[in-house]
Amino acid sequence: MLERIRIVLIGTSHPGNIGGVARAMHNMGLADLALVAPRCEVITQDSISRASGADHLLHQATVHPTLEDAVADCTLAVGASARSRTLPWPIISPRELAERLPSECQPQNARVALVFGREDSGLTNAELQRCHAHVHIPTNADFSSLNLAAAVQVIAYECRMAWLSQEDTASTAQEEGDDALATHVELERYFEHLERALIAIEFHDPAQPRQLMARLRRLYLRARPEKMEMNILRGILSATEKAADQRQP
Ligand code: SAH
């Protein structure tokens, strides 16, 4: 999912900010950086220093003359805006955006562009109108504009959180597969084996059962054993039977 997310910066004027964006992206596992008509040099001492070890993202960044060119292959474009604009457009929060990402990134050709504006004037209305939706980081209404790299950091963090929870769900499903519960037949086989072993070691007398097997059944059924646990218990029974056999005079 993360490899399908492109960060697009339009008309950035400070190399340090581009470096800061590269660092924020690499921290969150994003790597696709596209620069539209940057108003400064990209690889400078300042950008490399602010990238703090993520300067490979600067070297592999693509440079485009226009927004259209940078997002030509994208199936969703979302513009990040600090201010509300005259023409109402669908506005979402970073979290709402991130929640949409797993399904947006699913199709084979999916590519999502997250578009950020100039430090001094943001995105133009024409640029915002090329986006499907606008994402606004909820901020103090009297001081709403974040530093460019900070804005990318917040949105990239939400992308990562959405990706992590998707990974969590996938690995839980995987674990559930590995730790499948024992079936009815497996449990019944176990109870038969248990009874045989308990008789062999003379713990259980079928002539005087005293509800022993019923009580043990209740105990094991309450535990909802997994297949693998059932195998361990069966192994213990076999070893017990073998030890009892060897002790016979
Ligand atoms: N002074 C500009 C904002 C520049 S900040 C203005 O008034 O529009 C540079 C970029 O960071 C913005 O274009 C936007 O893409 C992003 N950004 C800053 N603050 C943001 C916020 N609160 N929500 C969403 N994006 C924000």
Side-chain angles (χ1 to χ4, degrees):
M1 177 186 123
L2 295 179
E3 72 285 358
R4 291 174 176 237
I5 300 174
R6 178 175 306 155
I7 299 293
V8 180
L9 306 183
I10 302 190
T12 313
S13 51
H14 297 293
N17 279 337
I18 304 182
V21 166
R23 180 183 189 170
M25 288 175 64
H26 193 39
N27 279 146
M28 296 298 125
L30 300 178
D32 186 354
L33 175 60
L35 306 169
V36 175
R39 291 183 288 163
C40 62
E41 274 198 61
V42 177
I43 313 285
T44 69
Q45 230 175 4
D46 215 14
S47 67
I48 290 174
S49 135
R50 284 278 305 278
S52 297
D55 48 295
H56 56 291
L57 262 67
L58 300 176
H59 291 283
Q60 71 198 33
T62 55
V63 180
H64 307 262
T66 60
L67 172 61
E68 287 72 20
D69 192 58
V71 302
D73 59 339
C74 292
T75 41
L76 178 78
V78 179
S81 176
R83 299 172 283 137
S84 59
R85 304 301 171 114
T86 37
L87 187 66
W89 218 255
I91 296 189
I92 52 178
S93 71
R95 195 149 304 166
E96 286 163 340
L97 164 67
E99 279 162 6
R100 280 176 60 174
L101 290 177
S103 63
E104 285 291 345
C105 291
Q106 196 88 53
Q108 197 89 64
N109 66 338
R111 278 269 170 272
V112 174
L114 305 178
V115 185
F116 295 81
R118 301 156 188 83
E119 293 95 330
D120 48 356
S121 55
L123 294 168
T124 64
N125 285 335
E127 286 159 352
L128 281 166
Q129 286 166 19
R130 277 168 177 66
C131 296
H132 294 87
H134 300 162
V135 58
H136 174 71
I137 302 165
T139 38
N140 177 355
D142 298 330
F143 195 62
S144 65
S145 168
L146 275 76
N147 162 266
L148 176 60
V152 171
Q153 182 75 79
V154 170
I155 291 175
Y157 168 76
E158 290 294 345
C159 295
R160 185 166 189 85
M161 290 305 282
W163 176 71
L164 283 176
S165 71
Q166 189 199 28
E167 292 290 290
D168 259 10
T169 320
S171 70
T172 310
Q174 173 76 34
E175 277 163 24
E176 276 165 6
D178 293 347
D179 304 345
L181 292 178
T183 63
H184 176 78
V185 170
E186 287 160 346
L187 281 163
E188 287 308 310
R189 240 183 263 141
Y190 174 72
F191 292 135
E192 281 166 25
H193 194 172
L194 178 63
E195 186 160 18
R196 270 200 319 275
L198 294 178
I199 293 169
I201 61 170
E202 295 178 6
F203 183 83
H204 173 48
D205 177 1
Q208 280 196 316
R210 292 205 202 96
Q211 290 203 305
L212 175 69
M213 290 316 296
R215 287 180 199 282
L216 288 173
R217 265 176 180 277
R218 191 173 57 184
L219 167 68
Y220 285 109
L221 291 175
R222 190 166 65 227
R224 310 286 316 276
E226 293 163 6
K227 283 179 194 298
M228 195 254 284
E229 293 168 332
M230 205 83 283
N231 289 339
I232 295 172
L233 291 171
R234 295 280 304 258
I236 293 173
L237 291 182
S238 299
T240 309
E241 287 175 322
K242 199 166 148 206
D245 262 2
Q246 282 163 1
R247 247 195 280 143
Q248 305 256 315

